[in-house]
């Protein structure tokens, strides 16, 4: 099993590295007090068609493989986790994959140019991983839907021109009534609010209230009740990218730790000679490599038309967890220097910590893995949906 890039992929990765060097985005983010991602950098990426990387060529993109996107996101992580909206369509891929010809014609061109950002509205004040408990509703009235509810704990609130909002078209039916809608965020009946997060400050964070927001039927994404299917397919891909972008951040942190351990002298020699330092670096270099290969495997399965929820969940869970502990130990190796902004380690730690929650918490992902390994009956029992399973004598 090989996960090497082909020549086209290598050339694209070289182009990405050149882009980072030319725009000096790493230093710009490090020196920013707000940690906000500069919008003009995204527009520059759009001019080079780098936002359309994972959009089909027929829709104006480049149609690169999921595996190639994994390599690119790993490179992004070395710069900053906040570059996750720089290359590729992001959640705009929902429109590219599931949108009607009319929806694609309207929204994909500005998205690919870097003029439009797409957010996703899933989480609510009382609903996160349990999508069956979604309270936002979409009532069909003639040729329109009226959306009512609150989305909270979501990213890109201010920057996104549209949100893919998941709402109930059949209240009380659980995930069977979940339906996504394209909602234009300049609607006067949408009330936005901001929340200050610990990390991942490159994009605004908070939520919005939908006060009888009227949207046309044409803005429904897919058919009524297809939301859960669309969610699973999209996030099987997106979660792996989030895992591998964190591993890129960890890789950069360990590279910093190696350089520091080689050049920081204490007690008559470089601190890298101490096993307490050497073993930390060895442990994390090994774990990062293992987690990265798991991410590549999950992306390769997607390319082969065999997306696997279990592999995706494993990749994000292991990727984010390995990355967090690697960066934490890199900070420890740096001592007091690791605790200040100048070295960028504390920001990497805060950002990666956020992705242990966002897009599927570590605990939720472990439950998904357990469902695939132990079976849906036991998983449903965990959720209180079925009676006690029959015991089996062994």
């Amino acid at each position: 099993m090989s996960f090497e890039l082909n020549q086209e992929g290598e050339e694209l990765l070289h182009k990405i590295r050149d882009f980072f060097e030319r725009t000096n985005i790493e230093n710009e983010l490090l020196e920013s007090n707000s940690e906000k991602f500069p919008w003009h950098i995204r527009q520059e990426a759009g001019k080079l068609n780098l936002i359309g990387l994972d959009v089909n060529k027929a829709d104006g993109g480049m149609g690169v493989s999921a595996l190639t996107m994994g390599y690119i996101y790993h490179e992004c992580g070395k710069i900053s986790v906040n570059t996750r909206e720089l290359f590729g369509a992001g959640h705009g891929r929902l429109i590219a994959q599931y949108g009607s010809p009319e929806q694609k014609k309207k929204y994909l061109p500005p998205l690919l140019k870097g003029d439009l950002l797409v957010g996703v509205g899933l989480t609510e004040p009382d609903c996160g991983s349990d999508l069956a408990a979604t309270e936002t509703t979409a009532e069909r009235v003639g040729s329109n839907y009226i959306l009512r509810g609150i989305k909270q704990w979501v990213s890109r609130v201010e920057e996104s021109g549209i949100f893919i909002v998941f709402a109930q078209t059949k209240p009380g039916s659980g995930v069977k009534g979940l339906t996504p809608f394209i909602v234009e965020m300049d609607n006067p009946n949408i009330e936005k609010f901001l929340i200050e997060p610990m990390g991942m400050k490159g994009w605004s964070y908070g939520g919005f209230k939908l006060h009888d927001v009227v949207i046309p039927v044409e803005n429904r994404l897919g058919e009524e009740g297809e939301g859960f299917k669309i969610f699973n397919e999209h996030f099987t891909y997106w979660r792996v990218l989030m895992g591998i972008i964190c591993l890129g951040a960890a890789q950069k942190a360990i590279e910093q730790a190696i350089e520091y351990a080689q050049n920081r002298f204490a007690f008559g020699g470089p601190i890298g000679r101490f096993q307490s330092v050497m073993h930390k670096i060895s442990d994390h270099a090994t774990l990062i490599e293992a987690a990265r290969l798991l991410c590549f495997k999950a992306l390769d399965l997607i390319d082969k038309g065999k997306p696997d929820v279990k592999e995706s969940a494993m990749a994000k869970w292991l990727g984010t967890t390995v990355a967090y502990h690697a960066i934490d130990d890199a900070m420890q190796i740096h001592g007091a220097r690791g605790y200040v902004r100048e070295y960028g380690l504390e920001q990497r730690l805060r950002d990666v910590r956020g992705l242990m929650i966002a897009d599927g918490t570590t605990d939720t992902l472990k439950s998904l893995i357990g469902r695939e390994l132990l079976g849906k009956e036991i998983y449903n029992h965990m959720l209180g949906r079925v009676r006690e399973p029959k015991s089996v004598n062994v």
Side-chain angles (χ1 to χ4, degrees), residues 58-59 95-109 218 220-221:
D59 294 319
I95 298 174
Q97 292 291 105
Y98 307 103
S100 66
E102 293 75 20
Q103 291 169 345
K104 292 180 181 182
K105 183 178 180 180
K106 181 177 182 179
Y107 296 112
L108 288 186
E218 291 77 20
R220 187 185 66 216
L221 198 62

Side-chain angles (χ1 to χ4, degrees), residues 355-367:
L355 281 173
M356 295 173 76
I357 300 172
D359 304 325
T361 68
T362 299
D363 301 288
T364 296
L365 297 176
K366 288 182 179 180
S367 293

